[in-house]
Structure formats: C-alpha cells, structure tokens
C-alpha cells in the first residue's frame, strides 16, 4: 500500500503545481515585461532600462522594457495594475503615478497602495530648474526677479499636466508668487528641445533627463532643488544657495508588481533589485545621471509602501496649494 500512497502523493503534488504555478517557483520562468509609463528617452525610461538589464542577468530570464505613455503615466500604471499577478509584468512607478495622481485625477483607475505589490525603490532624482539660453538671467536670484517682472509674457513647459516636471515648476511659481502660462508637451524630450530653441522660457526636469544638456551648455541650469549640491554637477548651485530654500523637489522611481503577486515572487524580484543596486557598474551609471541611491533598508517593499503613503499626502497638499485642477 505504501507505494500506492506515495504515487497518490506525487500526483496530488503535481496537480497542485499545475493549478498554482507560483507555488512551484519563486521567480518567473518566462520573460518579464517592465512597463515604463512614459515615452522612451525620458528619465524614468533611462533608469528603468538600466535596472531591467541587471534584473535579466540576475533572474536568468529576458526582461523587456515596454513604453506605455499617456495621461502623465496613468495609462501605463493602469495596465500594470490590471496585469496577471504572476511576476511577469512589473512597472516603474514614480512620484507622479503613485502619489500625485491621487490628487490630480478625479477618477484614477487604480489605488497606488491597494492595487500594487511594492517591490522596491530604485533611486531618487533631484529636480532642476532650467532656463532657455535666450533668457537673460544667469542665476536663481536674477531669474526670480526676471520672472516676477515679466510673468505675463513668459511661459514654462512640462511633460504634461501632473508630470513631475509640472509639479516642480508649479511649486516654484507658487513660492515666488507668480502665475505663468503653462505649455504641456508629450514627454520631457520635447521640453528640452523647446528650451534649447527658445520656444519656452523655463522648465523643470529630473537630473536623470536634463543633466547632460546642462553640462553641455545647451540649456541653462539655474538651481538643483536640494539642500546639498549633486556630485554629478558640483558647480550647479542649490535652491538654498539661490535664496529659495523651500524649493525642494525630488522625484523617485520604484518597481511595483500587480496586487496579488505571490509574496515569494515579490521577494525574489526585490532581492534581484537589491543585487542590481549593489552592483558598482549599475550604481555608477545611475549616479552619473545625478540619481541618489537609497540605503538598502530604505528600498525594500515595506519602506516603499511607507514612502508612497507619505508622498500622497505631501504632493496632495502642494497640488491643492498651487491650484492645479484635477483631470476629469
């Protein structure tokens, strides 16, 4: 009878694994799609691709980046939230998709806390205040005076309503007490091109996207919205040095899986992310973009959940104070 019972046990185990594939493994064995909810070439895309390459090596499967742009990242984040929760679809969310969108979208199709399983924080990227080379002001105090004197004739460009670039510039405008014409574009690359050509007067962008243009001199970096200078741009003054200490804006990018993804799969993805950020080659590439890497304890799933909750509150207040109306 023992052999019969043993055969029955094997059969039941096999049936369990067939009906619950996640129980048979702690990481996806099929290719993983990393959704970047913004256009190719932007800061989130660049950071996402750096991490995706390392995840592929660590997990031993193909990791493909898919750009799903639209509605300031909400379109791509929604697709990720509704994906099959088996670890084969994850998303690079950020301060816009997983914090500001709660206040900016009257009918947000997902809940950033409830509908995602946090994997881990990748990096934070300070925001830069940028001006077209055609703008006469060359430092932050002179620029503030210029904007105040010419607010009705100036404009600023962003990657779209509710994008991190919009929120940072809205904060700047509110702090100096001006209302300036807002010109939304579809992504950060068009904004940088508009700055270079002088089509717009100023804008805000993450170091990961704009720093190469600042260092090349094609756009003018007026300030970095942090309290300390960035090692990637040591000659760029901070907002504190420029006399606007409350202008503090840092974007962040993190990995999320859909709600219901098995905990062991999330844990394996989180471990692979930790491996990526511990890789000197990966961390060097991110820091060259001006990104700031969190300590290991600050980038795990629990820390990311706490960050999302705090950022929803923070940016909700800033958005309401700036008077940005929610999208219908």
């Amino acid at each position: 009878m023992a052999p019969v019972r043993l055969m029955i046990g094997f059969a039941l185990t096999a049936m369990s694994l067939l009906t619950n594939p996640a129980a048979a493994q702690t990481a996806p064995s099929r290719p993983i799609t990393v959704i970047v909810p913004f256009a190719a070439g932007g800061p989130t895309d660049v950071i996402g691709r750096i991490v995706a390459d390392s995840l592929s090596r660590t997990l031993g499967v193909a990791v493909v980046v898919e750009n799903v742009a639209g509605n300031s990242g909400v379109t791509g984040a929604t697709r990720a939230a509704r994906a099959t929760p088996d670890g084969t679809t994850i998303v690079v969310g950020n301060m816009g998709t997983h914090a500001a969108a709660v206040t900016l979208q009257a009918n947000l199709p997902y809940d950033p806390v409830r509908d995602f399983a946090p994997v881990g924080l990748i990096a934070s990227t300070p925001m830069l205040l940028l001006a077209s080379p055609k703008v006469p002001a060359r430092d932050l105090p002179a620029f503030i005076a210029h904007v105040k004197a010419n607010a009705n004739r100036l404009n600023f460009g962003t990657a779209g309503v509710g994008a991190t670039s919009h929120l940072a510039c809205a904060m700047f405008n509110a702090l100096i007490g001006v209302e300036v014409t807002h010109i939304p574009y579809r992504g950060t690359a068009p904004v940088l091109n508009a700055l270079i050509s002088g089509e717009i007067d100023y804008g805000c962008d993450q170091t990961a996207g704009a720093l190469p243009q600042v260092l090349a001199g094609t756009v003018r970096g007026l300030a970095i919205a942090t309290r300390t200078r960035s090692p990637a741009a040591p000659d760029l003054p901070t907002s504190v040095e420029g006399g606007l200490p409350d202008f503090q804006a840092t974007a962040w990018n993190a990995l999320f899986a859909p709600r219901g993804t098995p905990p062991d799969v999330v844990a394996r993805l989180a471990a692979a992310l930790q491996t990526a950020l511990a890789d000197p080659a990966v961390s060097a590439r991110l820091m060259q973009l001006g990104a700031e890497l969190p300590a290991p304890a600050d980038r795990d799933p629990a820390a990311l959940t706490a960050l999302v909750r705090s950022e929803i509150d923070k940016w909700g207040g800033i958005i309401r104070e700036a008077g940005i109306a929610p999208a219908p």
Side-chain angles (χ1 to χ4, degrees):
M1 293 296 291
V4 174
R5 287 196 298 270
L6 186 61
M7 291 178 65
I8 292 174
F10 283 150
L12 291 174
T13 300
M15 289 177 64
S16 173
L17 296 181
L18 286 172
T19 56
N20 184 16
Q25 54 192 22
T26 58
S29 59
R30 293 181 288 123
I32 297 173
T33 296
V34 176
I35 293 177
V36 171
F38 302 97
T44 300
D45 179 66
V46 172
I47 289 173
R49 290 178 186 276
I50 291 173
V51 170
D53 183 58
S54 179
L55 292 180
S56 179
R57 294 194 300 271
T58 300
L59 297 172
V61 297
V63 178
V64 181
V65 173
E66 180 182 1
N67 296 94
V68 185
N71 198 15
S72 298
V74 170
T75 301
T78 301
R79 180 182 295 186
R82 296 173 177 172
T84 302
D86 59 2
T88 61
T89 300
I90 54 180
V91 62
V92 185
N94 69 1
M95 177 260 281
T97 60
H98 282 68
V102 173
T103 305
L104 286 168
Q105 300 279 335
N107 297 291
L108 189 64
Y110 57 84
D111 183 309
V113 176
R114 187 190 64 219
D115 293 333
F116 291 91
V119 174
L121 179 65
I122 300 172
S124 298
T125 48
M127 300 298 293
L128 302 176
L129 178 63
L130 310 166
S132 166
K134 296 183 179 181
V135 171
R138 294 185 173 275
D139 58 33
L140 183 55
F143 181 72
I144 292 173
H146 176 70
V147 175
K148 287 184 174 181
N150 301 278
N152 62 337
R153 295 195 296 269
L154 299 178
N155 56 52
F156 71 99
T158 74
V161 175
T164 54
S165 54
H166 182 205
L167 299 180
C169 273
M171 178 192 291
F172 170 77
N173 292 339
L175 286 171
I176 67 172
V178 298
E179 292 186 8
V180 179
T181 300
H182 172 214
I183 300 180
Y185 291 82
R186 293 180 63 84
T188 56
V191 176
L192 289 173
N193 289 334
L195 281 168
I196 294 169
S197 68
E199 180 179 316
I200 58 175
D201 299 296
Y202 66 102
C204 299
D205 196 5
Q206 300 176 47
T207 52
L211 197 54
Q213 298 294 340
V214 172
L215 296 177
T218 54
V219 299
R220 184 172 298 146
L222 295 167
I224 184 168
T226 55
R227 299 193 181 281
T228 58
R229 295 196 181 197
S230 169
D235 295 330
L236 185 62
T238 68
S239 55
V240 176
E241 293 172 296
L244 198 64
D246 291 337
F247 182 46
Q248 301 292 309
T250 299
W252 48 265
N253 292 281
L255 289 181
F256 298 86
R259 178 186 62 177
T261 301
D264 56 349
V265 174
V266 174
R268 183 71 178 101
L269 291 169
L273 176 60
Q274 293 278 17
T275 298
L277 298 178
D279 184 338
V282 173
S283 60
R285 291 180 66 190
L286 291 171
M287 288 188 289
Q288 285 172 354
L289 299 171
E292 300 174 351
L293 302 188
D298 296 330
R299 62 192 185 216
D300 64 16
L304 179 54
T305 297
L307 174 66
V308 170
R309 292 182 185 277
S310 66
E311 288 282 279
I312 289 172
D313 292 338
K314 171 187 173 180
W315 287 101
I318 291 172
I319 291 163
R320 288 187 287 270
E321 184 178 347
I324 302 174

